[in-house]
Amino acid sequence: MNPLATVVTAPDTLVGHPVIELAGVTKTYPGGVTALRSVDLVVDYGELLAIVGPSGSGKSTMLNLVGTLDRPSQGTVRIDGHDVASLSDRQLSALRARRIGFVFQQFHLAPGRDALGNVADGLLYTGVGKRERERRAEAALVRVGLGDRLTHRPYQLSGGERQRVAIARAVAGDPPLLLADEPTGNLDSVSGAGVMKLLRELNEAGTTILVITHDREIADSLPRQVPMRDGQVI
Amino acid sequence: MSAPTASPTIHNRTKGSLRPARLRPSDLARLGGYGLRSRPLRAVLSALGIAIGIAAMTAVVGISASSRADLDQELAKLGTNMLTVSPGKTMFGKQATLPDESVAMIKWIGPVQSVTATGVLSDTYAYRNDRIPAAQSGGLSVLAAKLDLLKTVGGTLDHGAWLNAATDRYPAVVLGATAAERLGNVPAVYIGGRWWVVVGVLQKVLLAPELDSAVLMGWPAATTYLGFDGHPTTVYTRSVESQVEAVRAVLAPTANPSAPGAVQVSKPSDALAARRATNATFDALLLGLGAVALLVGGIGVANTMVISVLERRSEIGLRRSQGATKGQVRTQFVAESLLLSLLGGAFGALLGYLVTGMYATTQKWPTVVPLWVLAGGVGATVVIGAIAGLYPAIRAARLAPTEALAAT
Ligand SMILES: Nc1ncnc2c1ncn2[C@@H]1O[C@H](COP(=O)(O)OP(=O)(O)O)[C@@H](O)[C@H]1O
Ligand SMILES: [Mg+2]
């Protein structure tokens, strides 16, 4: 039985509605590089999909736009029903704090904080008190199978375990949308497979998950693939 | 074309909640602490400048306040109601004397409680033995003293006895503290071709330091053996505390009605306070040094914060992805700077207090560090920390989240 089945972040009423809508999105960097060209993409609540393509094809650029960390040069980005262009920097921050979780290739864990502290700190900007943050952090670490590593510092953890901590941090606040940029990029194949299994379990529990990868095999293991090349969806 | 078709229900569900949550003060303090704890040695070193500055300022003010407190205690014991009268120069520039009857006249002033006098024996010197050439007099003065001198000036004996009605008329002397040091532990001194027995030695007399370097003898003995003219040269008075200023106004005309302008009246307790206060320029110098140390300390903190922001770009990016607003990133780094600066300030205040305590103890002073200094020190460090942290914090907040995350 799936232990995550009780955690439902996307109520049934939302399934089938779009959580990500990109329409004619173009991103040109100040240097003149156009990393995305007129991209259209709709992702519904509850989906698990891979953005797959070679290095430099614009995957991370797309993730930054979907994650509201950057704004498009042209086109519309709607996340969770909000037109990003209409939101202030503060409102985007609030949107990220409550609706989006991020997992990065480099983990980005604080070396001086144990697993529990790293995960709990991820909730600092949600307005939840310290006790509650720690309670949720512990629950999230149990969810990713690290219930016995709460007080371990990052250097005491394997690469796969570190990425699990990072995933726990991303989902501790129960965001409906989880964005993972090459989550297995720094891991060996066994750890990588474990991380992908964990992401599938989280998706079954209701989280919409967008995984970026250059690895065709990993992409093919997911229900939906969006192939990219040269800044375009193909 | 997939036109944005978000259902209104979803839109409304999150629309109202798009206001960033406030960071609680406790979380902010914790955030500031993490940054410092991750590099403790750097934190300590960069707080050192501020610590030294605050310590210097605390110690300067503390030592001066302790000295002041000691003086106040001393004066409370000695009294501030003593006035001394001495002849100034005449119109022709000669050393004036006071009329013989001036002591008796001053006694008539109502609020005056006691009057006593000394008279200088000019061209008379004291030697430790009869073989020392007359020119080597050692800078000691020979004074005739009234018997109630000691009581009036608040002097105390180091050992031996003060003059009395018997030793008053015989060749006997009492030595001031400095005079005893210069002459050595001798049983008798040689004055005017005759041996004078040392019957006592005084401790330092705070309100009449001129007695320290004096050899004191009885008024009749000075007249009998050394041809003393009997003119008083310094009159010491004690008055009712509340009337000291009134007495001061009439002392000169009373002491010498024919030439009141030639009479000098002074209040030794004022002079004493003034002498302690002359350290003010030295204090100002030290305070200036403390201020420079504070400035350098502030620059040190700013430098540390700039480096910290550069090193922690990926942390900043991560926090932005977790929903930190620009303002919250800014606040975090200002808090860290404030904490760093306060750390230095608190340590400096403690250090300054300890230095004051040690110095005051060696001087046998009470240790006094006014509260306003400690409060001022904390206030100064808060201001410095805020200013030092502001620029790095603004830079941290301006970092684009994607750029910050791309940093390794
Ligand atoms: N901040 C940036 N400034 C300028 N060019 C960039 C920036 N980020 C990415 N690019 C360029 O955009 C293109 C797409 O990059 P990216 O989205 O990182 O691709 P991927 O993640 O698929 O490897 C690349 O040519 C890259 O050099
Ligand atoms: Mg990439």
Side-chain angles (χ1 to χ4, degrees), chain B residues 101-179:
Chain B
E101 58 285 359
S102 56
V103 172
M105 297 299 292
I106 289 169
K107 227 173 233 162
W108 280 103
I109 303 174
V112 169
Q113 295 165 316
S114 64
V115 187
T116 185
T118 58
V120 173
L121 284 89
S122 42
D123 303 327
T124 306
Y125 305 102
Y127 305 95
R128 56 191 302 180
N129 59 49
D130 54 0
R131 297 181 302 278
I132 293 180
Q136 296 177 17
S137 61
L140 303 179
S141 56
V142 178
L143 301 181
K146 303 270 192 190
L147 286 182
D148 49 5
L149 176 72
L150 197 62
K151 198 175 76 217
T152 303
V153 300
T156 46
L157 281 158
D158 186 70
H159 60 268
W162 177 240
L163 300 167
N164 58 36
T167 52
D168 196 28
R169 16 190 102 256
Y170 294 105
V173 293
V174 169
L175 304 180
T178 311

Side-chain angles (χ1 to χ4, degrees), chain A residues 14 17-18 21-24 40 42 45 64 69-70 76 78 80-82 87 89-91 93-100 102 104 106 108 113 121-122 124-130 133 169, chain B residues 1-7 9-11 13-15 17-24 27 30-31 34 37 314-315 317-326 328 332 401-402 405-408:
Chain A
L14 289 175
H17 291 293
E21 297 159 85
L22 305 185
D40 297 320
V42 176
Y45 281 97
N64 287 340
L69 294 170
D70 209 350
T76 7
R78 292 182 82 90
D80 204 25
H82 297 280
L87 298 181
D89 195 74
R90 279 170 56 81
Q91 288 175 313
S93 296
L95 183 68
R96 291 196 292 270
R98 302 203 184 95
R99 313 300 291 171
I100 307 174
F102 289 88
F104 302 100
Q106 310 90 326
H108 287 310
R113 307 273 294 148
D121 284 357
L124 259 176
Y125 307 99
T126 59
V128 170
K130 184 167 181 281
R133 291 201 300 267
R169 181 179 62 194
Chain B
M1 160 124 202
S2 62
T5 52
S7 82
T9 52
I10 300 165
H11 200 263
R13 200 164 56 84
T14 55
K15 183 78 174 179
S17 63
L18 282 191
R19 187 179 299 145
R22 266 170 42 88
L23 267 183
R24 293 150 197 246
D27 286 337
R30 229 175 267 127
L31 263 180
Y34 295 153
R37 252 185 290 159
S314 66
E315 177 197 323
L318 177 73
R319 292 190 185 282
R320 295 286 275 134
S321 82
Q322 289 169 345
T325 64
K326 286 179 181 179
Q328 285 167 337
Q332 176 189 344
T402 51
L405 277 167
T408 43

Side-chain angles (χ1 to χ4, degrees), chain A residues 27-47:
Chain A
K27 177 66 187 181
T28 304
Y29 284 109
V33 178
T34 299
L36 283 186
R37 287 166 210 279
S38 194
V39 167
D40 297 320
L41 177 71
V42 176
V43 177
D44 285 344
Y45 281 97
E47 279 200 70

Side-chain angles (χ1 to χ4, degrees), chain A residues 29-31 33-35 53-62 181-182 212, chain B residues 402:
Chain A
Y29 284 109
V33 178
T34 299
S55 180
S57 56
K59 306 183 297 292
S60 294
T61 300
M62 189 200 276
D181 192 346
E182 306 270 10
I212 278 179
Chain B
T402 51

